[in-house]
Amino acid sequence: MSLLVVGSVAIDSVETPTDRRDDFLGGSATHFSYAASFFTQVNLVGVVGDDWPEEHTELFRSRNIDVSGLQKVDGGKTFRWTGRYEPNMNDRETLEVQLNVFGEFDPKVPEKFQDARFVFLANGVPAVQQKVLSQAPACQLAVADTMDLWIVEHRETLDALLKNIHGLVLNDSEAKLLTGEENLVTAGLKVREMGPEFVIIKKGEHGAMFFGHNAAGQVEVLVLPAYPTQAVIDPTGAGDSFAGGLMGYLAEQDKHDAETFKTAMAYGTVVASFNVEGFGLDRMEQISREDIDERLAAYRKMLNF
Amino acid sequence: MSLLVVGSVAIDSVETPTDRRDDFLGGSATHFSYAASFFTQVNLVGVVGDDWPEEHTELFRSRNIDVSGLQKVDGGKTFRWTGRYEPNMNDRETLEVQLNVFGEFDPKVPEKFQDARFVFLANGVPAVQQKVLSQAPACQLAVADTMDLWIVEHRETLDALLKNIHGLVLNDSEAKLLTGEENLVTAGLKVREMGPEFVIIKKGEHGAMFFGHNAAGQVEVLVLPAYPTQAVIDPTGAGDSFAGGLMGYLAEQDKHDAETFKTAMAYGTVVASFNVEGFGLDRMEQISREDIDERLAAYRKMLNF
């Protein structure tokens, strides 16, 4: 089952306490697509400038990611992001953002993608996310990511969007900001009342929480820890690769019941644990589905008592 | 299999964003003992003053906690602690500490407790913890808790203690302080190299990590999330009740191999989740072993995919 993702494709530069890399492939939709491509065919909609290195397009193609929806704006420049991580490798500072062509992004979902049943709206302006939804009439599972900026400054359109999506993915501080609740269980349940059937709160190095319902319609709350790794090189894109692993698995299974969601959360966790082990997609390019399944088995064993 | 615990018995006062309670039964050894008493007989060594309410002793006795080692100092006052929790219910400020008789605590392990095979050295001066060990010659599993103050100001005696115990329990910020490492997996493994066979890092609302070895001698790293609860009333004693559930279960099983440890970690997690649902021991006094086992089953199901 193919999966549609719409969001940022970027050129990133990242500084960590011990290293620095410049001008590599990044962006929410990039990390999502690559992660999901281990599980299913991915259709990508995004925008780049004419500074875009063709080799990145080739990388997507090599992963069976359809780039027909990747618009190229002549005379424009690709979205650029530069960030620096604190010694704890969890907190980060954005040093520079050049929105460039992403600032005017008006996503056009190609006709051949419009039968998409699984749709991920990567972090972006809620009004733009909403626009994508109207171009995906066959969508059965629409999941959106969001961020503090939209919660504070685009609250009305975000509230409207929440009523039209099935799932929302956000991090712990965003969940607190959106609900005014400090307890994450309370916050997650409260976001659900704003519209989405299910909510996923990402807690970085502490894992993720799921709020949904089981087959009997009862509320179900799950918490899974992150897979323990010492090799945290670059956490950028961890949340998007988590979402990619999760949605990729759901699309592969063509199901989204509570049990499948739980396994999907575990796959998302494991894929994200690989993503942080290198700058950009470095580590992801070294692994196969077998590596993911092997780590999933270790993760399952760890949680089984 | 009986379990020996040595540590503080206190009178606590706690302020939270929505409530406040004064002068109730607290202390590390108290929370530990009560939690462990669901699993095994507990032998408690501690000290109180002559302001000590006899009803607290009765409570211990009602739980099959042997208080022969609870010294009463005539003319002395019991250890008192007053704290205030931040709105996140994780960070707290100590408003007042009166060490009183605990400041001069010179633990005497009664002869009838000296055959103890499972020993928990609740948070205290490392030199005093060491003194307890020498009074427990039959000990097979000695586990200690510690804190930032001893890491900074009693480092030498702490380092010496680490070579004489089997396990160390500490929280995430303490693990970082002790090792200088920001990555908790690296920190946990490094603490193990300082002596203890196994290390448990407590992460509050985010659960706990275990670093030990399996039957083949290979390093084993486990992470378990906290049990998700909305009803966080007073987190004081969460770590001690976690340790109590864990050690209580190990003593009950009379085993401490890697597989038993994993289940013990789960029991500790579940017991701690009850402990935080009331001030002091309020919630603990309402529950039975059946409630614990029921929540353990839900927790196991949550982690099983």
Side-chain angles (χ1 to χ4, degrees):
Chain A
M1 181 52 51
S2 70
L3 170 61
L4 172 65
V5 54
V6 184
S8 68
V9 172
I11 305 293
D12 281 357
S13 295
V14 169
E15 200 180 309
T16 70
T18 56
D19 207 348
R20 173 179 182 105
R21 292 292 160 85
D22 290 306
D23 303 330
F24 56 83
L25 175 58
S28 299
T30 298
H31 283 281
F32 179 94
S33 297
Y34 202 101
S37 72
F38 289 102
F39 303 89
T40 191
Q41 199 264 312
V42 181
N43 296 329
L44 169 65
V45 172
V47 64
V48 294
D50 54 16
D51 57 344
W52 176 248
E54 200 50 35
E55 69 196 68
H56 296 338
T57 304
E58 286 315 310
L59 180 69
F60 286 136
R61 285 210 181 99
S62 76
R63 298 293 311 174
N64 201 18
I65 297 167
D66 190 326
V67 290
S68 321
L70 189 62
Q71 310 163 30
K72 197 164 184 168
V73 178
D74 285 331
K77 284 186 72 186
T78 305
F79 177 28
R80 283 177 181 262
W81 180 80
T82 304
R84 177 166 56 205
Y85 285 87
E86 301 290 319
N88 68 15
M89 293 303 278
N90 221 21
D91 301 318
R92 74 180 182 198
E93 191 187 347
T94 292
L95 300 177
E96 197 186 4
V97 180
Q98 294 177 23
L99 282 179
N100 298 329
V101 295
F102 190 64
E104 306 295 313
F105 183 37
D106 183 19
K108 303 265 182 300
V109 178
E111 206 175 315
K112 66 169 174 169
F113 293 174
Q114 295 194 1
D115 61 348
R117 297 206 284 128
F118 292 79
V119 176
F120 185 68
L121 308 165
N123 186 16
V125 188
V128 174
Q129 292 177 313
Q130 180 62 56
K131 246 177 139 171
V132 173
L133 273 192
S134 58
Q135 297 175 65
C139 177
Q140 285 184 0
L141 192 80
V143 180
D145 194 352
T146 195
M147 74 187 287
D148 47 4
L149 185 64
W150 320 131
I151 293 170
V152 175
E153 297 189 5
H154 292 240
R155 185 58 188 262
E156 264 184 57
T157 44
L158 178 61
D159 280 343
L161 178 76
L162 291 181
K163 294 185 171 43
N164 296 327
I165 55 176
H166 304 92
L168 183 70
V169 177
L170 73 180
N171 72 30
D172 43 5
S173 63
E174 291 158 358
K176 291 178 182 184
L177 182 67
L178 182 59
T179 60
E181 296 290 344
E182 284 285 343
N183 179 292
L184 287 175
V185 182
T186 307
L189 295 172
K190 210 162 163 180
V191 179
R192 258 193 102 221
E193 286 167 15
M194 296 175 180
E197 245 174 76
F198 68 89
V199 176
I200 291 170
I201 298 181
K202 299 172 291 180
K203 305 194 295 172
E205 62 167 326
H206 300 301
M209 306 176 87
F210 171 85
F211 305 83
H213 58 80
N214 63 19
Q218 290 161 320
V219 171
E220 188 150 300
V221 179
L222 303 175
V223 196
L224 290 180
Y227 183 84
T229 179
Q230 289 183 268
V232 181
I233 304 292
D234 171 17
T236 314
D240 295 304
S241 61
F242 169 84
L246 181 136
M247 295 275 297
Y249 180 75
L250 294 176
E252 181 193 55
Q253 300 297 310
D254 197 10
K255 287 196 289 200
H256 45 87
D257 60 285
E259 271 311 295
T260 310
F261 249 114
K262 209 196 288 189
T263 308
M265 289 273 292
Y267 266 114
T269 299
V270 163
V271 171
S273 77
F274 282 112
N275 191 84
V276 303
E277 290 179 352
F279 281 97
L281 294 173
D282 281 4
R283 182 72 176 116
M284 299 293 271
E285 289 187 55
Q286 295 167 350
I287 63 165
S288 65
R289 174 67 181 263
E290 273 161 31
D291 295 309
I292 293 171
D293 283 330
E294 201 177 293
R295 190 172 284 188
L296 187 89
Y299 183 62
R300 175 180 274 138
K301 188 164 170 282
M302 179 182 100
L303 296 176
N304 196 341
F305 57 85
Chain B
M1 182 53 52
S2 72
L3 170 61
L4 172 65
V5 54
V6 183
S8 68
V9 172
I11 306 293
D12 281 356
S13 295
V14 170
E15 201 181 310
T16 69
T18 56
D19 208 348
R20 173 178 181 108
R21 292 294 160 84
D22 290 306
D23 303 329
F24 56 84
L25 176 56
S28 299
T30 298
H31 283 281
F32 179 94
S33 298
Y34 202 102
S37 73
F38 289 102
F39 302 90
T40 191
Q41 199 264 312
V42 181
N43 296 329
L44 170 64
V45 172
V47 64
V48 296
D50 55 15
D51 57 344
W52 176 249
E54 200 49 35
E55 68 197 69
H56 295 337
T57 305
E58 286 314 311
L59 181 68
F60 286 136
R61 285 210 181 99
S62 76
R63 296 293 312 172
N64 200 18
I65 297 167
D66 189 326
V67 291
S68 320
L70 189 62
Q71 308 163 32
K72 196 163 186 171
V73 177
D74 284 333
K77 284 186 73 183
T78 304
F79 177 27
R80 283 177 180 263
W81 180 81
T82 304
R84 177 167 55 205
Y85 285 87
E86 301 291 318
N88 69 14
M89 293 302 277
N90 222 19
D91 301 317
R92 74 181 183 199
E93 190 186 349
T94 292
L95 298 178
E96 196 186 5
V97 180
Q98 295 176 23
L99 282 180
N100 298 330
V101 296
F102 190 64
E104 306 294 312
F105 183 37
D106 183 17
K108 303 266 183 301
V109 178
E111 206 175 315
K112 67 170 175 169
F113 292 175
Q114 295 193 2
D115 61 348
R117 296 205 285 127
F118 291 79
V119 176
F120 185 68
L121 308 166
N123 185 17
V125 188
V128 173
Q129 292 177 313
Q130 181 62 55
K131 242 174 141 172
V132 172
L133 273 193
S134 59
Q135 297 174 64
C139 178
Q140 285 184 359
L141 193 81
V143 180
D145 194 352
T146 196
M147 74 186 287
D148 48 3
L149 186 62
W150 319 131
I151 293 170
V152 174
E153 297 190 6
H154 292 242
R155 186 59 189 262
E156 265 184 55
T157 44
L158 178 60
D159 280 343
L161 179 77
L162 291 181
K163 294 186 171 41
N164 296 326
I165 55 176
H166 305 91
L168 183 71
V169 177
L170 73 181
N171 72 29
D172 44 5
S173 63
E174 292 157 358
K176 291 179 182 184
L177 183 66
L178 182 58
T179 60
E181 296 290 343
E182 284 285 343
N183 180 292
L184 288 175
V185 182
T186 307
L189 294 173
K190 209 160 162 181
V191 178
R192 257 191 105 221
E193 287 167 14
M194 296 176 179
E197 246 174 76
F198 68 89
V199 176
I200 291 170
I201 298 180
K202 300 172 289 180
K203 306 195 295 172
E205 63 167 323
H206 299 302
M209 306 175 89
F210 170 85
F211 305 82
H213 59 80
N214 63 19
Q218 290 160 319
V219 172
E220 188 150 302
V221 179
L222 305 174
V223 197
L224 290 179
Y227 183 85
T229 178
Q230 288 184 269
V232 181
I233 303 293
D234 171 17
T236 314
D240 295 305
S241 62
F242 169 85
L246 180 135
M247 295 273 299
Y249 179 75
L250 293 176
E252 180 192 56
Q253 300 297 310
D254 197 10
K255 285 196 290 199
H256 44 88
D257 60 286
E259 270 311 296
T260 310
F261 249 113
K262 208 196 286 190
T263 307
M265 289 272 292
Y267 266 114
T269 299
V270 164
V271 172
S273 77
F274 282 112
N275 192 84
V276 304
E277 290 179 353
F279 280 97
L281 295 172
D282 280 4
R283 181 75 176 113
M284 299 293 272
E285 289 186 55
Q286 295 168 349
I287 64 165
S288 65
R289 173 69 182 261
E290 274 160 30
D291 295 309
I292 292 171
D293 283 330
E294 201 177 294
R295 190 171 285 189
L296 187 89
Y299 183 62
R300 175 179 275 136
K301 187 163 170 283
M302 179 183 98
L303 296 175
N304 197 341
F305 57 86

